[in-house]
Amino acid sequence: MAIYENISMSKVFMQRPLRVLSNIWYAFISGPKTGKPFKVKFESSTLCNLKCVMCPLTSGLTRKRGVLKFENFKKIFDEIRVPYLNLTGLGEPFMNPEIYKIIRYARKKGSLVKIDTNATLLNKENIKRLIYSNPSFISVSIDGMTKKSYESIRKGANFEKVIVNLKNLVSYRNFMKSKTQIQLFFVLQKDNVKDLIPFLKFAESLGVEVVNGTVAISFGTAENKNKREIKKEEIEKVKRDLKIARQQLKIKINIENIDDFLENPDMQEQRLSKKPCFYPWYNPCITWDGYVVPCDLYCDNEIVFGNAFEKPFMKIWNNKKARSFRKQLLKKRIGVCARCCVDETFILDKLGIFYKIPILRNLSYRKF
C-alpha cells in the first residue's frame, strides 16, 4: 500500500491524471479487457551473484538467464510510458551493465522508478553512478542483523561489506542532497525471526525513510513452507516486541504481510487466497527477454500471455489468454495465485463507495 501513497503524493499523479483515472476505472470494472497499466515490473536481470535460500534462482529456475538490453527496454517503454516502473526481477539489477542507462531514460520521461538490490555490488563508484541516474526509490534487502543469520540466508554475501556499502549509499545520497528514497526490505523466515526488531532499529539509526517486509513465500521452484515453520513462542515474543517497537520508533514500517503471518501462521495462505487481487488489471510483469506474465509470482513463466519484443504490448495485454486469466481470477485463485500473499482489500475499500451505487455496481464484473 505504501507504493500507492508515494504515487499519490508525487507529480506523476498530476502529470498523468487520465492514466490514473483509467486504471481506477478498469480496476473497478474488473472486466476481461483493461487499459494501459499504471505500474509495470520490468525484469532487469536473472543473473545474480548470490544464492539466497528462498529464491527460485537457487532452487532450480528452468527459464533462460540473461539481462534486459536497453534497446529492448526502450521499445516497450516508449509504447506504454508507464508512470511507475519497478526494475526488479529475480536477479541482481547491478549485474546488468545498462541498468543506469535504463533508469536515467525512464526518469527523464517522467516515470517513478524503483530498484531492488542486495547491495553487494554497491561500491563507491557504483553508488555515484546510481545516485546520478536518479531512481525514485532504492530498496536494499537485508535479511539478518548478525553475520551468522544474514550469511546463512543470503549465501555468497559478506555481511560487513554489505553494511558498509549501505552506509556509504545513505551518506552519499545525503551529501548530494538527492531526493531518492532509500528503503530496507526484510524477508521473515525461521532463521531470522529474532532479527526483525534489531532490523527495524538499525534502519532507523541508519537514516533510511521506510522499512518494508514480507514472509518467505513459495513461488517458482522455491517451496518455502518449511522456512515459515517458526515456533509458537518465538512468534508470540516477536509480536510483543513489535508492538513496543512501533511505539518507540519513528521510521515508517510497512510489513503488513508479516503482521498477517504473525496473526495467522498456520492459515495465512488459505485466508489470503480469498482476498482480492487487481494486479492483472494494472500491474503486469515483463521478463528480461520480453515475456508478459500476470505478475512476478509467475517467475518461471508458468503462464505467458505473449512476447512484447515480438508483438505490441497492448495486443498481448488484452489477448484471449490474458482475458481468460482475469475471468478465472475473479472466480477463484488457483495454481500460483493460490499461494500468493497479495491482499488488495484496501483497493476494494477505496472503490467501495462506487460499488454501493446500483447503476455502477451492475457495470462491474467483480460480484459480491
Side-chain angles (χ1 to χ4, degrees), residues 7 14 28 76 80 87 90 102 124 142 148 164 175 177 219 223 240 242 256 258 265 268 279 311 326 330 337 354 366:
I7 290 172
M14 300 303 296
F28 169 74
I76 307 304
I80 56 178
L87 287 169
L90 290 179
I102 291 170
K124 290 184 177 180
I142 304 285
K148 181 179 179 181
V164 169
F175 173 75
K177 295 182 172 55
F219 66 113
E223 293 290 341
R240 292 193 300 270
L242 185 55
E256 293 91 348
I258 292 177
Q268 189 189 38
Y279 274 25
K311 295 181 179 180
R326 294 185 188 106
L330 284 180
C337 290
F354 301 110
R366 197 175 288 269

Side-chain angles (χ1 to χ4, degrees), residues 10-11 15 37 81 83 85 107 121 132 141 176 193 200 202 215 221 239 241 251 255 258 275 279 288 300 315 326 333:
S10 73
K11 293 180 180 179
Q15 290 171 344
R81 290 290 298 274
L85 176 68
R107 289 293 287 139
L121 302 178
Y132 172 73
S141 297
M176 294 301 294
V193 64
L200 297 176
F202 169 73
V215 66
T221 52
K239 282 170 63 177
D241 292 345
I251 191 169
I255 55 171
I258 292 177
K275 296 296 181 178
Y279 274 25
W288 69 272
D300 212 6
K315 286 190 175 181
R326 294 185 188 106
R333 291 195 192 187

Side-chain angles (χ1 to χ4, degrees), residues 305-366:
F305 298 153
N307 192 296
F309 295 165
E310 300 170 359
K311 295 181 179 180
F313 173 84
M314 286 306 297
K315 286 190 175 181
I316 295 170
W317 190 223
N318 277 319
N319 65 18
K320 184 177 180 180
K321 198 168 185 179
R323 296 197 305 270
S324 296
F325 183 88
R326 294 185 188 106
K327 288 179 181 180
Q328 172 57 54
L329 185 59
L330 284 180
K331 296 176 183 177
K332 184 180 180 181
R333 291 195 192 187
I334 61 175
V336 173
C337 290
R339 301 189 298 180
C340 177
C341 291
V342 168
D343 177 2
E344 294 195 304
T345 301
F346 68 95
I347 292 180
L348 202 60
D349 291 342
K350 295 290 185 182
L351 296 173
I353 187 172
F354 301 110
Y355 287 113
K356 292 179 181 178
I357 302 173
I359 191 170
L360 292 179
R361 182 188 180 99
N362 291 335
L363 294 175
S364 177
Y365 286 77
R366 197 175 288 269

Side-chain angles (χ1 to χ4, degrees), residues 27-46:
F28 169 74
I29 294 296
S30 292
K33 292 185 70 174
T34 189
K36 282 187 178 181
F38 187 89
K39 180 174 179 285
V40 168
K41 177 169 279 193
F42 209 143
E43 184 176 63
S44 57
S45 172
T46 49

Side-chain angles (χ1 to χ4, degrees), residues 259-293:
D259 290 330
D260 187 84
F261 170 77
L262 295 174
E263 292 296 330
N264 308 277
D266 299 320
M267 295 293 293
Q268 189 189 38
E269 283 190 6
Q270 295 92 319
R271 195 185 70 79
L272 290 178
S273 67
K274 300 176 183 178
K275 296 296 181 178
C277 173
F278 291 85
Y279 274 25
W281 284 269
Y282 76 97
N283 185 17
C285 178
I286 306 174
T287 65
W288 69 272
D289 47 354
Y291 291 101
V292 180
V293 299

Side-chain angles (χ1 to χ4, degrees), residues 217-231:
I217 62 172
S218 299
F219 66 113
T221 52
E223 293 290 341
N224 289 323
K225 187 175 181 180
N226 66 319
K227 295 178 178 61
R228 302 193 299 271
E229 295 174 350
I230 303 171
K231 294 179 181 179

Side-chain angles (χ1 to χ4, degrees), residues 39-307:
K39 180 174 179 285
V40 168
K41 177 169 279 193
F42 209 143
E43 184 176 63
S44 57
S45 172
T46 49
L47 304 182
C48 193
N49 56 338
L50 302 184
K51 293 186 177 296
C52 301
V53 297
M54 63 285 188
C55 180
L57 283 178
T58 302
S59 57
L61 194 78
T62 61
R63 65 183 172 94
K64 292 181 180 180
R65 312 290 175 91
V67 298
L68 175 64
K69 294 182 179 179
F70 175 76
E71 287 305 319
N72 286 335
F73 164 77
K74 184 176 181 296
K75 174 184 179 297
I76 307 304
F77 183 88
D78 287 348
E79 180 185 347
I80 56 178
R81 290 290 298 274
V82 61
Y84 187 99
L85 176 68
N86 188 332
L87 287 169
T88 304
L90 290 179
E92 168 55 38
F94 295 104
M95 294 194 75
N96 183 337
E98 294 191 297
I99 190 63
Y100 307 101
K101 187 177 181 180
I102 291 170
I103 295 172
R104 284 199 304 273
Y105 185 82
R107 289 293 287 139
K108 287 180 179 178
K109 295 294 182 178
S111 296
L112 295 174
V113 176
K114 180 175 182 283
I115 193 156
D116 298 63
T117 176
N118 59 38
T120 57
L121 302 178
L122 290 183
N123 55 36
K124 290 184 177 180
E125 180 58 32
N126 285 342
I127 287 172
K128 290 180 180 179
R129 296 178 69 189
L130 176 58
I131 296 301
Y132 172 73
S133 66
N134 191 33
S136 310
F137 315 102
I138 302 170
S139 177
V140 179
S141 297
I142 304 285
D143 299 323
M145 279 288 100
T146 69
K147 183 177 179 68
K148 181 179 179 181
S149 62
Y150 174 82
E151 293 183 4
S152 69
I153 294 171
R154 298 256 161 191
K155 292 185 180 295
N158 180 285
F159 179 68
E160 293 87 355
K161 180 181 178 181
V162 167
I163 296 300
V164 169
N165 290 351
L166 181 53
K167 289 180 177 179
N168 287 339
L169 174 63
V170 174
S171 177
Y172 189 73
R173 187 277 306 265
N174 294 344
F175 173 75
M176 294 301 294
K177 295 182 172 55
S178 167
K179 294 182 179 180
T180 296
Q181 183 184 97
I182 300 176
Q183 310 171 355
L184 294 191
F185 193 85
F186 189 88
V187 181
L188 183 79
Q189 46 205 288
K190 64 181 181 181
D191 292 330
N192 68 2
V193 64
K194 295 179 181 179
D195 292 3
L196 178 58
I197 306 305
F199 165 80
L200 297 176
K201 293 179 179 178
F202 169 73
E204 179 156 289
S205 68
L206 190 64
V208 301
E209 285 72 28
V210 182
V211 289
N212 301 307
T214 186
V215 66
I217 62 172
S218 299
F219 66 113
T221 52
E223 293 290 341
N224 289 323
K225 187 175 181 180
N226 66 319
K227 295 178 178 61
R228 302 193 299 271
E229 295 174 350
I230 303 171
K231 294 179 181 179
K232 185 176 180 180
E233 55 268 29
E234 289 184 314
I235 288 178
E236 291 304 316
K237 184 179 187 308
V238 77
K239 282 170 63 177
R240 292 193 300 270
D241 292 345
L242 185 55
K243 184 177 181 179
I244 295 172
R246 280 193 161 108
Q247 294 172 346
Q248 296 176 340
L249 300 176
K250 296 179 181 179
I251 191 169
K252 191 171 184 60
I253 300 173
N254 298 316
I255 55 171
E256 293 91 348
N257 188 255
I258 292 177
D259 290 330
D260 187 84
F261 170 77
L262 295 174
E263 292 296 330
N264 308 277
D266 299 320
M267 295 293 293
Q268 189 189 38
E269 283 190 6
Q270 295 92 319
R271 195 185 70 79
L272 290 178
S273 67
K274 300 176 183 178
K275 296 296 181 178
C277 173
F278 291 85
Y279 274 25
W281 284 269
Y282 76 97
N283 185 17
C285 178
I286 306 174
T287 65
W288 69 272
D289 47 354
Y291 291 101
V292 180
V293 299
C295 76
D296 58 332
L297 212 66
Y298 287 83
C299 63
D300 212 6
N301 286 4
E302 292 89 347
I303 291 180
V304 171
F305 298 153
N307 192 296

